[in-house]
Amino acid sequence: LVARLPTPRRRSVQSRSRRARARRLLSRRSAARMAGLADLPPAEDVDNWTCPILQTVMKDPVVAQDGHTYERAAIEEWIHTCEDAEVTSPMTGAPLKSKILFANHALRRSIAANVERFPALGELQTTDDEIAELVNRFRSGGVPRS
């Protein structure tokens, strides 16, 4: 028999995070259907358009130095709350060597096109209230939901 090596803890945390996102997405899809809204695009697509910090479909996606895409307001607030401390990636926990963010124009166009095609997708997009809640939570010492 061949012994299996234990999987790294990081992978299991990410798997749990993905499962949690999938459960939230399914509950949102169910709520959208019950509200009489049109069907949503496939869950895999919506997951690709979801900010890992806010867990909402992004309006203004940007790419950070870690290569992951975030809602601009969410990652800017994440960076701001680090102040003088070393800024780390919300996804990996690794240090971010740069605070420069790049607009992800292709993803923004893709999301906008699909919001037109699937109006219910707009119900899942980041709202100003969600951003304000994030800012308040971060500034009061809270941590982001994952």
Side-chain angles (χ1 to χ4, degrees), residues 30-59:
S30 297
R33 283 194 181 112
M34 288 178 12
L37 300 172
D39 281 340
L40 293 171
E44 307 84 47
D45 291 341
V46 177
D47 193 42
N48 290 331
W49 303 327
T50 300
C51 172
I53 298 173
L54 292 174
Q55 298 299 310
T56 58
V57 175
M58 295 177 274
K59 285 185 179 177

PDB file of all heavy atoms in Angstrom, residues 30-59:
ATOM      1  N   SER A  30     -31.350  30.891  -5.365  1.00  0.00           N
ATOM      2  CA  SER A  30     -32.681  30.474  -4.939  1.00  0.00           C
ATOM      3  C   SER A  30     -33.537  31.694  -4.611  1.00  0.00           C
ATOM      4  O   SER A  30     -34.702  31.759  -4.993  1.00  0.00           O
ATOM      5  CB  SER A  30     -32.592  29.562  -3.721  1.00  0.00           C
ATOM      6  OG  SER A  30     -31.897  28.387  -4.042  1.00  0.00           O
ATOM      7  N   ALA A  31     -32.942  32.652  -3.896  1.00  0.00           N
ATOM      8  CA  ALA A  31     -33.678  33.864  -3.538  1.00  0.00           C
ATOM      9  C   ALA A  31     -34.081  34.634  -4.799  1.00  0.00           C
ATOM     10  O   ALA A  31     -35.189  35.156  -4.890  1.00  0.00           O
ATOM     11  CB  ALA A  31     -32.842  34.743  -2.621  1.00  0.00           C
ATOM     12  N   ALA A  32     -33.178  34.698  -5.779  1.00  0.00           N
ATOM     13  CA  ALA A  32     -33.470  35.398  -7.032  1.00  0.00           C
ATOM     14  C   ALA A  32     -34.617  34.717  -7.771  1.00  0.00           C
ATOM     15  O   ALA A  32     -35.518  35.378  -8.288  1.00  0.00           O
ATOM     16  CB  ALA A  32     -32.222  35.451  -7.921  1.00  0.00           C
ATOM     17  N   ARG A  33     -34.596  33.396  -7.812  1.00  0.00           N
ATOM     18  CA  ARG A  33     -35.679  32.670  -8.485  1.00  0.00           C
ATOM     19  C   ARG A  33     -37.002  32.871  -7.758  1.00  0.00           C
ATOM     20  O   ARG A  33     -38.038  33.046  -8.380  1.00  0.00           O
ATOM     21  CB  ARG A  33     -35.339  31.189  -8.566  1.00  0.00           C
ATOM     22  CG  ARG A  33     -34.337  30.899  -9.643  1.00  0.00           C
ATOM     23  CD  ARG A  33     -34.262  29.408  -9.950  1.00  0.00           C
ATOM     24  NE  ARG A  33     -33.273  29.195 -10.984  1.00  0.00           N
ATOM     25  CZ  ARG A  33     -32.119  28.579 -10.795  1.00  0.00           C
ATOM     26  NH1 ARG A  33     -31.822  28.075  -9.626  1.00  0.00           N
ATOM     27  NH2 ARG A  33     -31.276  28.447 -11.785  1.00  0.00           N
ATOM     28  N   MET A  34     -36.958  32.821  -6.415  1.00  0.00           N
ATOM     29  CA  MET A  34     -38.190  32.987  -5.648  1.00  0.00           C
ATOM     30  C   MET A  34     -38.737  34.402  -5.811  1.00  0.00           C
ATOM     31  O   MET A  34     -39.935  34.616  -5.742  1.00  0.00           O
ATOM     32  CB  MET A  34     -37.957  32.656  -4.174  1.00  0.00           C
ATOM     33  CG  MET A  34     -37.773  31.176  -3.965  1.00  0.00           C
ATOM     34  SD  MET A  34     -37.416  30.577  -2.298  1.00  0.00           S
ATOM     35  CE  MET A  34     -37.689  31.873  -1.214  1.00  0.00           C
ATOM     36  N   ALA A  35     -37.862  35.360  -6.034  1.00  0.00           N
ATOM     37  CA  ALA A  35     -38.298  36.747  -6.228  1.00  0.00           C
ATOM     38  C   ALA A  35     -38.807  36.974  -7.646  1.00  0.00           C
ATOM     39  O   ALA A  35     -39.200  38.077  -7.999  1.00  0.00           O
ATOM     40  CB  ALA A  35     -37.147  37.702  -5.925  1.00  0.00           C
ATOM     41  N   GLY A  36     -38.769  35.929  -8.472  1.00  0.00           N
ATOM     42  CA  GLY A  36     -39.274  36.039  -9.837  1.00  0.00           C
ATOM     43  C   GLY A  36     -38.271  36.651 -10.794  1.00  0.00           C
ATOM     44  O   GLY A  36     -38.640  37.088 -11.880  1.00  0.00           O
ATOM     45  N   LEU A  37     -37.020  36.700 -10.415  1.00  0.00           N
ATOM     46  CA  LEU A  37     -35.997  37.265 -11.284  1.00  0.00           C
ATOM     47  C   LEU A  37     -35.554  36.227 -12.302  1.00  0.00           C
ATOM     48  O   LEU A  37     -35.696  35.028 -12.094  1.00  0.00           O
ATOM     49  CB  LEU A  37     -34.800  37.741 -10.449  1.00  0.00           C
ATOM     50  CG  LEU A  37     -35.119  38.810  -9.419  1.00  0.00           C
ATOM     51  CD1 LEU A  37     -33.921  39.062  -8.536  1.00  0.00           C
ATOM     52  CD2 LEU A  37     -35.549  40.092 -10.099  1.00  0.00           C
ATOM     53  N   ALA A  38     -35.003  36.689 -13.392  1.00  0.00           N
ATOM     54  CA  ALA A  38     -34.549  35.795 -14.457  1.00  0.00           C
ATOM     55  C   ALA A  38     -33.422  34.899 -13.957  1.00  0.00           C
ATOM     56  O   ALA A  38     -32.776  35.177 -12.960  1.00  0.00           O
ATOM     57  CB  ALA A  38     -34.068  36.623 -15.643  1.00  0.00           C
ATOM     58  N   ASP A  39     -33.199  33.819 -14.668  1.00  0.00           N
ATOM     59  CA  ASP A  39     -32.111  32.907 -14.312  1.00  0.00           C
ATOM     60  C   ASP A  39     -30.768  33.614 -14.359  1.00  0.00           C
ATOM     61  O   ASP A  39     -30.605  34.622 -15.028  1.00  0.00           O
ATOM     62  CB  ASP A  39     -32.077  31.723 -15.264  1.00  0.00           C
ATOM     63  CG  ASP A  39     -33.128  30.690 -14.915  1.00  0.00           C
ATOM     64  OD1 ASP A  39     -33.618  30.688 -13.777  1.00  0.00           O
ATOM     65  OD2 ASP A  39     -33.446  29.886 -15.797  1.00  0.00           O
ATOM     66  N   LEU A  40     -29.834  33.046 -13.646  1.00  0.00           N
ATOM     67  CA  LEU A  40     -28.479  33.563 -13.597  1.00  0.00           C
ATOM     68  C   LEU A  40     -27.581  32.736 -14.505  1.00  0.00           C
ATOM     69  O   LEU A  40     -27.914  31.602 -14.850  1.00  0.00           O
ATOM     70  CB  LEU A  40     -27.950  33.502 -12.162  1.00  0.00           C
ATOM     71  CG  LEU A  40     -28.643  34.415 -11.163  1.00  0.00           C
ATOM     72  CD1 LEU A  40     -28.178  34.104  -9.755  1.00  0.00           C
ATOM     73  CD2 LEU A  40     -28.380  35.869 -11.487  1.00  0.00           C
ATOM     74  N   PRO A  41     -26.425  33.277 -14.884  1.00  0.00           N
ATOM     75  CA  PRO A  41     -25.465  32.490 -15.660  1.00  0.00           C
ATOM     76  C   PRO A  41     -24.952  31.322 -14.827  1.00  0.00           C
ATOM     77  O   PRO A  41     -25.203  31.254 -13.617  1.00  0.00           O
ATOM     78  CB  PRO A  41     -24.356  33.483 -15.991  1.00  0.00           C
ATOM     79  CG  PRO A  41     -24.556  34.634 -15.096  1.00  0.00           C
ATOM     80  CD  PRO A  41     -25.970  34.617 -14.623  1.00  0.00           C
ATOM     81  N   PRO A  42     -24.203  30.406 -15.439  1.00  0.00           N
ATOM     82  CA  PRO A  42     -23.681  29.261 -14.680  1.00  0.00           C
ATOM     83  C   PRO A  42     -22.893  29.708 -13.442  1.00  0.00           C
ATOM     84  O   PRO A  42     -22.220  30.728 -13.453  1.00  0.00           O
ATOM     85  CB  PRO A  42     -22.757  28.569 -15.678  1.00  0.00           C
ATOM     86  CG  PRO A  42     -23.256  29.001 -17.017  1.00  0.00           C
ATOM     87  CD  PRO A  42     -23.814  30.386 -16.836  1.00  0.00           C
ATOM     88  N   ALA A  43     -22.992  28.901 -12.393  1.00  0.00           N
ATOM     89  CA  ALA A  43     -22.355  29.238 -11.113  1.00  0.00           C
ATOM     90  C   ALA A  43     -20.855  29.441 -11.260  1.00  0.00           C
ATOM     91  O   ALA A  43     -20.284  30.293 -10.588  1.00  0.00           O
ATOM     92  CB  ALA A  43     -22.647  28.147 -10.085  1.00  0.00           C
ATOM     93  N   GLU A  44     -20.209  28.683 -12.149  1.00  0.00           N
ATOM     94  CA  GLU A  44     -18.751  28.833 -12.319  1.00  0.00           C
ATOM     95  C   GLU A  44     -18.413  30.232 -12.807  1.00  0.00           C
ATOM     96  O   GLU A  44     -17.420  30.820 -12.392  1.00  0.00           O
ATOM     97  CB  GLU A  44     -18.187  27.815 -13.324  1.00  0.00           C
ATOM     98  CG  GLU A  44     -18.529  26.382 -13.046  1.00  0.00           C
ATOM     99  CD  GLU A  44     -19.895  25.974 -13.588  1.00  0.00           C
ATOM    100  OE1 GLU A  44     -20.224  26.268 -14.759  1.00  0.00           O
ATOM    101  OE2 GLU A  44     -20.640  25.365 -12.827  1.00  0.00           O
ATOM    102  N   ASP A  45     -19.247  30.770 -13.718  1.00  0.00           N
ATOM    103  CA  ASP A  45     -18.999  32.121 -14.220  1.00  0.00           C
ATOM    104  C   ASP A  45     -19.190  33.144 -13.108  1.00  0.00           C
ATOM    105  O   ASP A  45     -18.367  34.038 -12.928  1.00  0.00           O
ATOM    106  CB  ASP A  45     -19.932  32.446 -15.388  1.00  0.00           C
ATOM    107  CG  ASP A  45     -19.608  31.640 -16.631  1.00  0.00           C
ATOM    108  OD1 ASP A  45     -18.482  31.107 -16.729  1.00  0.00           O
ATOM    109  OD2 ASP A  45     -20.490  31.543 -17.508  1.00  0.00           O
ATOM    110  N   VAL A  46     -20.276  33.011 -12.375  1.00  0.00           N
ATOM    111  CA  VAL A  46     -20.553  33.959 -11.295  1.00  0.00           C
ATOM    112  C   VAL A  46     -19.435  33.901 -10.255  1.00  0.00           C
ATOM    113  O   VAL A  46     -19.013  34.931  -9.734  1.00  0.00           O
ATOM    114  CB  VAL A  46     -21.931  33.684 -10.660  1.00  0.00           C
ATOM    115  CG1 VAL A  46     -22.180  34.624  -9.486  1.00  0.00           C
ATOM    116  CG2 VAL A  46     -23.039  33.842 -11.693  1.00  0.00           C
ATOM    117  N   ASP A  47     -18.924  32.717  -9.974  1.00  0.00           N
ATOM    118  CA  ASP A  47     -17.831  32.585  -9.011  1.00  0.00           C
ATOM    119  C   ASP A  47     -16.592  33.335  -9.487  1.00  0.00           C
ATOM    120  O   ASP A  47     -15.890  33.948  -8.689  1.00  0.00           O
ATOM    121  CB  ASP A  47     -17.507  31.112  -8.772  1.00  0.00           C
ATOM    122  CG  ASP A  47     -16.611  30.907  -7.569  1.00  0.00           C
ATOM    123  OD1 ASP A  47     -16.839  31.580  -6.543  1.00  0.00           O
ATOM    124  OD2 ASP A  47     -15.691  30.087  -7.657  1.00  0.00           O
ATOM    125  N   ASN A  48     -16.329  33.337 -10.794  1.00  0.00           N
ATOM    126  CA  ASN A  48     -15.178  34.054 -11.348  1.00  0.00           C
ATOM    127  C   ASN A  48     -15.358  35.569 -11.256  1.00  0.00           C
ATOM    128  O   ASN A  48     -14.385  36.310 -11.292  1.00  0.00           O
ATOM    129  CB  ASN A  48     -14.933  33.662 -12.798  1.00  0.00           C
ATOM    130  CG  ASN A  48     -14.431  32.249 -12.924  1.00  0.00           C
ATOM    131  OD1 ASN A  48     -13.782  31.723 -12.030  1.00  0.00           O
ATOM    132  ND2 ASN A  48     -14.743  31.615 -14.040  1.00  0.00           N
ATOM    133  N   TRP A  49     -16.591  36.023 -11.165  1.00  0.00           N
ATOM    134  CA  TRP A  49     -16.873  37.458 -11.099  1.00  0.00           C
ATOM    135  C   TRP A  49     -17.057  37.927  -9.667  1.00  0.00           C
ATOM    136  O   TRP A  49     -17.362  39.095  -9.425  1.00  0.00           O
ATOM    137  CB  TRP A  49     -18.136  37.783 -11.892  1.00  0.00           C
ATOM    138  CG  TRP A  49     -18.098  37.360 -13.317  1.00  0.00           C
ATOM    139  CD1 TRP A  49     -17.001  37.315 -14.141  1.00  0.00           C
ATOM    140  CD2 TRP A  49     -19.193  36.900 -14.104  1.00  0.00           C
ATOM    141  NE1 TRP A  49     -17.355  36.875 -15.379  1.00  0.00           N
ATOM    142  CE2 TRP A  49     -18.696  36.606 -15.388  1.00  0.00           C
ATOM    143  CE3 TRP A  49     -20.544  36.715 -13.846  1.00  0.00           C
ATOM    144  CZ2 TRP A  49     -19.517  36.143 -16.415  1.00  0.00           C
ATOM    145  CZ3 TRP A  49     -21.352  36.253 -14.871  1.00  0.00           C
ATOM    146  CH2 TRP A  49     -20.842  35.974 -16.134  1.00  0.00           C
ATOM    147  N   THR A  50     -16.907  37.040  -8.690  1.00  0.00           N
ATOM    148  CA  THR A  50     -17.168  37.354  -7.290  1.00  0.00           C
ATOM    149  C   THR A  50     -15.899  37.821  -6.580  1.00  0.00           C
ATOM    150  O   THR A  50     -14.856  37.177  -6.672  1.00  0.00           O
ATOM    151  CB  THR A  50     -17.734  36.108  -6.571  1.00  0.00           C
ATOM    152  OG1 THR A  50     -18.946  35.725  -7.225  1.00  0.00           O
ATOM    153  CG2 THR A  50     -18.025  36.386  -5.118  1.00  0.00           C
ATOM    154  N   CYS A  51     -15.999  38.933  -5.874  1.00  0.00           N
ATOM    155  CA  CYS A  51     -14.873  39.447  -5.085  1.00  0.00           C
ATOM    156  C   CYS A  51     -14.646  38.513  -3.902  1.00  0.00           C
ATOM    157  O   CYS A  51     -15.582  38.215  -3.163  1.00  0.00           O
ATOM    158  CB  CYS A  51     -15.192  40.847  -4.583  1.00  0.00           C
ATOM    159  SG  CYS A  51     -13.966  41.492  -3.417  1.00  0.00           S
ATOM    160  N   PRO A  52     -13.417  38.047  -3.698  1.00  0.00           N
ATOM    161  CA  PRO A  52     -13.159  37.145  -2.584  1.00  0.00           C
ATOM    162  C   PRO A  52     -13.287  37.804  -1.208  1.00  0.00           C
ATOM    163  O   PRO A  52     -13.433  37.106  -0.212  1.00  0.00           O
ATOM    164  CB  PRO A  52     -11.721  36.662  -2.824  1.00  0.00           C
ATOM    165  CG  PRO A  52     -11.132  37.611  -3.790  1.00  0.00           C
ATOM    166  CD  PRO A  52     -12.246  38.251  -4.539  1.00  0.00           C
ATOM    167  N   ILE A  53     -13.271  39.115  -1.146  1.00  0.00           N
ATOM    168  CA  ILE A  53     -13.423  39.804   0.134  1.00  0.00           C
ATOM    169  C   ILE A  53     -14.904  40.027   0.445  1.00  0.00           C
ATOM    170  O   ILE A  53     -15.379  39.680   1.508  1.00  0.00           O
ATOM    171  CB  ILE A  53     -12.666  41.151   0.138  1.00  0.00           C
ATOM    172  CG1 ILE A  53     -11.166  40.924  -0.049  1.00  0.00           C
ATOM    173  CG2 ILE A  53     -12.938  41.921   1.434  1.00  0.00           C
ATOM    174  CD1 ILE A  53     -10.361  42.199  -0.222  1.00  0.00           C
ATOM    175  N   LEU A  54     -15.638  40.603  -0.497  1.00  0.00           N
ATOM    176  CA  LEU A  54     -17.041  40.945  -0.268  1.00  0.00           C
ATOM    177  C   LEU A  54     -18.010  39.812  -0.580  1.00  0.00           C
ATOM    178  O   LEU A  54     -19.149  39.841  -0.133  1.00  0.00           O
ATOM    179  CB  LEU A  54     -17.431  42.160  -1.117  1.00  0.00           C
ATOM    180  CG  LEU A  54     -16.789  43.485  -0.733  1.00  0.00           C
ATOM    181  CD1 LEU A  54     -17.151  44.554  -1.756  1.00  0.00           C
ATOM    182  CD2 LEU A  54     -17.247  43.898   0.642  1.00  0.00           C
ATOM    183  N   GLN A  55     -17.592  38.858  -1.393  1.00  0.00           N
ATOM    184  CA  GLN A  55     -18.465  37.765  -1.828  1.00  0.00           C
ATOM    185  C   GLN A  55     -19.655  38.286  -2.627  1.00  0.00           C
ATOM    186  O   GLN A  55     -20.765  37.765  -2.523  1.00  0.00           O
ATOM    187  CB  GLN A  55     -18.946  36.933  -0.629  1.00  0.00           C
ATOM    188  CG  GLN A  55     -17.827  36.264   0.135  1.00  0.00           C
ATOM    189  CD  GLN A  55     -17.047  35.284  -0.740  1.00  0.00           C
ATOM    190  OE1 GLN A  55     -17.630  34.454  -1.405  1.00  0.00           O
ATOM    191  NE2 GLN A  55     -15.741  35.399  -0.734  1.00  0.00           N
ATOM    192  N   THR A  56     -19.442  39.338  -3.414  1.00  0.00           N
ATOM    193  CA  THR A  56     -20.464  39.877  -4.301  1.00  0.00           C
ATOM    194  C   THR A  56     -19.868  39.980  -5.696  1.00  0.00           C
ATOM    195  O   THR A  56     -18.644  39.986  -5.855  1.00  0.00           O
ATOM    196  CB  THR A  56     -20.931  41.276  -3.852  1.00  0.00           C
ATOM    197  OG1 THR A  56     -19.796  42.151  -3.819  1.00  0.00           O
ATOM    198  CG2 THR A  56     -21.583  41.242  -2.488  1.00  0.00           C
ATOM    199  N   VAL A  57     -20.729  40.077  -6.697  1.00  0.00           N
ATOM    200  CA  VAL A  57     -20.257  40.251  -8.070  1.00  0.00           C
ATOM    201  C   VAL A  57     -19.675  41.657  -8.185  1.00  0.00           C
ATOM    202  O   VAL A  57     -20.289  42.640  -7.757  1.00  0.00           O
ATOM    203  CB  VAL A  57     -21.407  40.037  -9.077  1.00  0.00           C
ATOM    204  CG1 VAL A  57     -20.953  40.342 -10.496  1.00  0.00           C
ATOM    205  CG2 VAL A  57     -21.920  38.602  -8.985  1.00  0.00           C
ATOM    206  N   MET A  58     -18.488  41.749  -8.759  1.00  0.00           N
ATOM    207  CA  MET A  58     -17.756  43.017  -8.786  1.00  0.00           C
ATOM    208  C   MET A  58     -18.313  43.998  -9.820  1.00  0.00           C
ATOM    209  O   MET A  58     -18.808  43.600 -10.862  1.00  0.00           O
ATOM    210  CB  MET A  58     -16.282  42.737  -9.095  1.00  0.00           C
ATOM    211  CG  MET A  58     -15.587  41.948  -8.019  1.00  0.00           C
ATOM    212  SD  MET A  58     -13.873  41.541  -8.400  1.00  0.00           S
ATOM    213  CE  MET A  58     -14.099  40.030  -9.342  1.00  0.00           C
ATOM    214  N   LYS A  59     -18.206  45.297  -9.492  1.00  0.00           N
ATOM    215  CA  LYS A  59     -18.531  46.367 -10.421  1.00  0.00           C
ATOM    216  C   LYS A  59     -17.258  46.988 -10.970  1.00  0.00           C
ATOM    217  O   LYS A  59     -17.211  47.406 -12.113  1.00  0.00           O
ATOM    218  CB  LYS A  59     -19.342  47.459  -9.717  1.00  0.00           C
ATOM    219  CG  LYS A  59     -20.766  47.098  -9.461  1.00  0.00           C
ATOM    220  CD  LYS A  59     -21.491  48.297  -8.872  1.00  0.00           C
ATOM    221  CE  LYS A  59     -22.939  47.972  -8.635  1.00  0.00           C
ATOM    222  NZ  LYS A  59     -23.650  49.087  -8.011  1.00  0.00           N
TER     223      LYS A  59
END
